[in-house]
Amino acid sequence: TAKPTPATQGKGGAAIRTPVGVIDGGVAAAVPTKSARGFATDAPIASNHGTAVASLLRHAGVQSIVSADVYGRDAAGGSALAITRALDWMQGQHVPIVSISLTGPSNPLLARAVAACIAKGMVIIAAVGNDGPGAPPAYPASYPFVLAVTGVDGRDRALIEAGRSVHLDYAGPGADMKAMYASGRWVSVRGTSYAAPLVAARAAAAKDMGQPIAALDREARDLGVKGADSIY
């Protein structure tokens, strides 16, 4: 219902020690990662989307990024099986917070994997996607206890293309900003994909300070109508 305000947005910030996992495309070497593994054909391979997400985490102060490439050169990349395998690997790596900027329909295998990871203490943060408010609820954002994230622009207006989830937890910056592509160039980006890692960075900062993830509620601002709503 509110927008966490990353203190580091556009400025760089204090180091965040808690590791954050990224399940996406591969991350270019220009964004340092603690470890990387592929779960698709020829993965890991640097991608624009994965690199952009990781660059936002890094710019927000996250020092330890764990990358799982679920796309590679696979035409069926980003499958529920690939994401499930990536989650299992991250659980084995003891990654406490995972950012997922992928959406799709509900899948029983993925639902069980998400529930198992959350039961073991993992915090999963997922974007609601960019298929518009009339689209079916997005997964994994809609699974119970996953933190579902939408996006706002630089004037705190909800992105018109933002998808929806069965529930909505936070909004983060998703437009009027830049992220790094695999080429190393910083380019303008837009979408809920880019809001999720910024919320993940704030969750990692809370964990650094020994605070519960619910501490994000205290630093967030209530946008739209007062209280909970389906937009923010």
Side-chain angles (χ1 to χ4, degrees), residues 11 50 59 138 166-167 179 201:
K11 300 177 182 178
H59 193 59
V166 169
H167 60 275

Side-chain angles (χ1 to χ4, degrees), residues 22 27 31-33 49-59 62 65 197:
V22 174
V27 177
V31 181
T33 57
H49 196 270
T51 302
V53 167
S55 74
L56 290 171
L57 274 174
R58 186 76 178 182
H59 193 59
V62 176
I65 298 172

